[in-house]
């Protein structure tokens, strides 16, 4: 849990310190890569670490991930300009990929099927706490100390996690392979390069360059060509990084697609709800964060209780019920009155967290229970990889949708100088004298309409997740019963 907390909190703790970092180091034009570079490194390394943990064991991979993360943290604290800080954030992400995937796999290794919901709920609590505490801690350190402490506080936490893992994590003895394990370095490099180009195109498209510009089209074309090359390399490899059985088995393929769709829909609350709360409801940053954070209260509780449901009706049907509820909740968001009260979107988020807790955890526990130790790391990494890619695709697609709706609503605006993208809306509304009352109201209504369209799109992603489960997933997951699971 300490190791996972390192990776979880680092995704949010930097956000509130950006003004201080930019003021000290400069580089305002590229500061978004502080987040994009970290996410990129975490995502593209997940399949690689999953395969390595199946080949050499979880403990060495986890130790290497913690060490690499701490080295990256120390380098970030010593960064002398924005370029160096972005590069060192990528080093952090290379370690964070090992932390995310390996911790989830170890949880399945150490606990039998009946106890996994309890430990997975605790891991969900780590993410929930980090989502709330990260921006607060980052703001306090940046405001009252120095932004470099954001990275330095990782060192004692990581050192404690490293000591506990080295001293107390004892993996069960496994029979030695008859032949020396082969590392598919060509496949690892191909997966890394493909993911890097694809995620760069998704993250920077519409931001650094237009979607239909030469850089955007070139990156998408290059990522497609590399994806085809990756398939060829992996089909010929003796021990591929992403083996073909990940997609040939109906259970794993359906869970990958369903959680990829969940990553897509998660962009609506996590990215666009704070903008809605500040621009439409007129809340401050802290209050807007609270509207979002209520989702992290119901999610772990729902996840912890989900075993009482799936032990009766199965993993698939439980997940279908959870995502069906999420679909209804997402469709309810556009029905909220304008401008409305803060408790209304907060209630929506509370219900959404409960629904998604009932959806995600049964699928993760279920798919991990269908494979043995030697395949569990690869399986878990494939699931997390698809979820991360879904989030990147969602950020790109829904960002384009929101900005398109906003621009269309403001096309015939009576007041000049109105922003045409969501990033500039908050800055405009912070200056009350910049706009007339009528123009301000029109701008708020345009943001309301843009976020409503994003939530409708998120409901479409929920429908895709349901389709993957209904069409592809078997009625009963082929669970491998371990000795601990057979005990009365």
């Amino acid at each position: 849990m300490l190791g996972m907390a390192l990776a979880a909190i680092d995704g949010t703790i930097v956000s509130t310190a950006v003004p201080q970092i930019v003021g000290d180091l400069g580089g305002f034009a590229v500061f978004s890569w502080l987040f994009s570079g970290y996410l990129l490194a975490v995502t593209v390394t997940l399949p690689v670490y999953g395969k390595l943990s199946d080949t050499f064991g979880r403990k060495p991979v986890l130790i290497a991930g913690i060490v690499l993360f701490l080295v990256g943290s120390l380098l970030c604290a010593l960064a002398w300009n924005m370029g160096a800080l972005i590069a060192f954030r990528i080093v952090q992400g290379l370690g964070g990929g090992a932390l995310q995937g390996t911790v989830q796999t170890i949880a399945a290794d150490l606990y039998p099927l009946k106890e996994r919901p309890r430990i997975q709920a605790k891991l969900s609590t780590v993410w929930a706490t980090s989502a709330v505490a990260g921006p607060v801690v980052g703001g306090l350190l940046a405001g009252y100390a120095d932004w470099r402490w954001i990275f330095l506080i990782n060192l004692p936490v990581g050192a404690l996690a490293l000591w506990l893992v080295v001293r107390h994590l004892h993996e069960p003895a496994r029979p030695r392979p008859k032949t020396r394990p082969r590392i598919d370095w060509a496949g690892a490099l191909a997966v890394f390069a493909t993911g890097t180009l694809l995620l760069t195109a998704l993250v920077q498209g519409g931001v650094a360059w237009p979607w239909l510009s030469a850089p955007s089209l070139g990156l998408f074309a290059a990522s497609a060509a590399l994806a085809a090359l990756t398939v060829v390399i992996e089909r010929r490899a003796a021990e591929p990084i992403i083996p073909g059985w990940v997609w040939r088995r109906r259970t794993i393929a359906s869970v990958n697609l369903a959680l990829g769709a969940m990553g897509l829909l998660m962009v609506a609350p996590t990215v666009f709800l704070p903008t809605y709360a500040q621009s439409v409801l007129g809340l401050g940053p802290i209050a807007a964060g609270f509207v979002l954070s209520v989702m992290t209260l119901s999610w772990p509780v729902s996840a912890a209780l989900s075993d009482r449901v799936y032990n009766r009706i199965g993993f698939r049907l439980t997940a279908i019920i959870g995502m069906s509820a999420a679909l209804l909740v997402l469709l309810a968001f556009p029905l909220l009155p304008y401008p409305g009260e803060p408790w209304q979107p907060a209630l929506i988020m509370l219900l959404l967290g409960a629904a998604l807790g009932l959806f995600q955890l049964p699928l993760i526990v279920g798919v991990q229970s269908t494979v043995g130790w030697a395949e569990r790391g690869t399986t878990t990494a494939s699931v997390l990889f698809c979820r991360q890619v879904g989030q990147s695709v969602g950020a790109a697609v829904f960002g384009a949708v929101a900005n398109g709706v906003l621009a269309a609503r403001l096309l015939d605006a009576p007041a000049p100088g109105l922003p045409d993208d969501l990033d500039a809306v908050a800055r405009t509304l912070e200056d009350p004298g910049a706009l007339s009352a009528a123009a301000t109201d029109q701008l708020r209504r345009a943001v309301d309409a843009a976020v409503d369209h994003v939530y409708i799109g998120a409901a479409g992603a929920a429908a895709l997740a349901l389709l993957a489960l209904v069409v592809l997933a078997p009625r009963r997951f082929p669970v491998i019963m371990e000795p601990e699971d057979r005990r009365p």
Side-chain angles (χ1 to χ4, degrees), residues 13-14 16-25 76-79 85 137-153:
I13 194 172
V14 180
T16 49
V18 166
Q20 288 77 13
I21 294 174
V22 171
D24 189 13
L25 301 181
C76 285
L78 300 175
L85 183 58
V137 174
L140 290 174
L141 289 174
Y144 295 98
D146 187 271
W147 63 264
R148 297 179 189 272
W149 281 100
I150 289 174
F151 303 104
L152 290 175
I153 62 171

Side-chain angles (χ1 to χ4, degrees), residues 92-348:
Q92 265 192 318
L94 296 177
L99 293 173
Q100 285 196 27
T102 311
V103 169
Q104 295 276 6
T105 307
I106 289 173
D109 288 342
L110 296 181
Y111 292 86
L113 180 57
K114 292 181 180 179
E115 296 183 29
R116 283 176 199 162
R118 177 172 60 86
I119 188 63
Q120 289 285 1
K122 290 183 178 181
L123 294 177
S124 297
T125 304
V126 172
W127 283 100
T129 304
S130 300
V132 177
V136 176
V137 174
L140 290 174
L141 289 174
Y144 295 98
D146 187 271
W147 63 264
R148 297 179 189 272
W149 281 100
I150 289 174
F151 303 104
L152 290 175
I153 62 171
N154 289 334
L155 301 182
V157 177
L160 178 58
L162 187 62
W163 179 77
L164 288 170
V165 168
V166 171
R167 184 180 177 91
H168 296 291
L169 177 59
H170 304 291
E171 294 190 85
R174 301 286 171 182
R176 286 190 175 185
K178 297 180 181 179
T179 59
R180 185 178 180 181
R182 297 181 182 179
I183 301 177
D184 179 21
W185 292 115
L189 182 60
V191 169
F192 190 89
T194 303
T196 299
L197 290 183
L198 176 60
L199 292 177
T200 301
L202 292 171
V203 169
Q204 295 297 101
V207 178
W209 48 70
W211 282 110
L212 297 180
S213 64
S216 187
L217 296 176
L219 283 172
F220 278 118
S223 61
L226 277 176
L229 178 63
T230 302
V231 171
V232 173
I233 293 173
E234 295 297 84
R235 293 185 68 176
R236 295 180 177 180
E239 295 288 341
I241 292 293
I242 303 181
W245 54 259
V246 168
W247 294 105
R248 286 195 296 268
R249 298 180 191 177
R250 288 178 56 194
T251 305
I252 302 175
S254 62
V255 172
N256 282 344
L257 293 174
L259 285 178
M262 192 200 80
L264 194 69
L265 74 85
M266 281 299 297
V267 171
T270 56
V271 176
F272 292 94
L273 185 65
T275 299
Y276 172 88
Q278 294 182 66
S279 300
V280 178
L281 302 181
L283 301 179
I286 296 177
F290 177 76
V291 172
L292 173 62
S293 66
V294 294
M295 182 175 67
T296 65
L297 302 177
S298 57
W299 191 317
V301 175
S302 174
L305 298 176
S306 65
D307 63 319
R308 302 186 181 185
V309 183
Y310 68 66
N311 282 331
R312 291 176 178 269
I313 64 176
F315 297 112
R316 173 178 176 268
L317 189 54
T318 302
I320 287 175
I321 292 173
M323 187 52 74
S324 298
L327 173 60
L328 296 176
V329 171
L330 291 166
L331 288 175
F333 188 91
L335 302 178
L336 295 178
Y338 171 85
E341 298 293 333
W343 67 265
Q344 294 167 334
L347 178 60
I348 292 286

Side-chain angles (χ1 to χ4, degrees), residues 376-410:
R376 192 171 289 147
T378 299
T379 300
T380 304
S382 72
V383 169
L384 299 179
F385 176 77
C386 289
R387 189 181 67 185
Q388 294 280 80
V389 171
Q391 287 181 323
S392 300
V393 173
V397 172
F398 292 146
V401 169
N403 287 329
V405 172
L406 189 70
R409 293 298 177 100
L410 298 177

Side-chain angles (χ1 to χ4, degrees), residues 30-31 33-34 37-38 81-91:
V30 294
F31 83 87
W33 274 100
L34 291 176
Y38 179 80
N81 58 35
M82 184 62 75
L85 183 58
I86 291 172
F88 298 147
R89 282 281 285 172
I90 293 175
V91 174

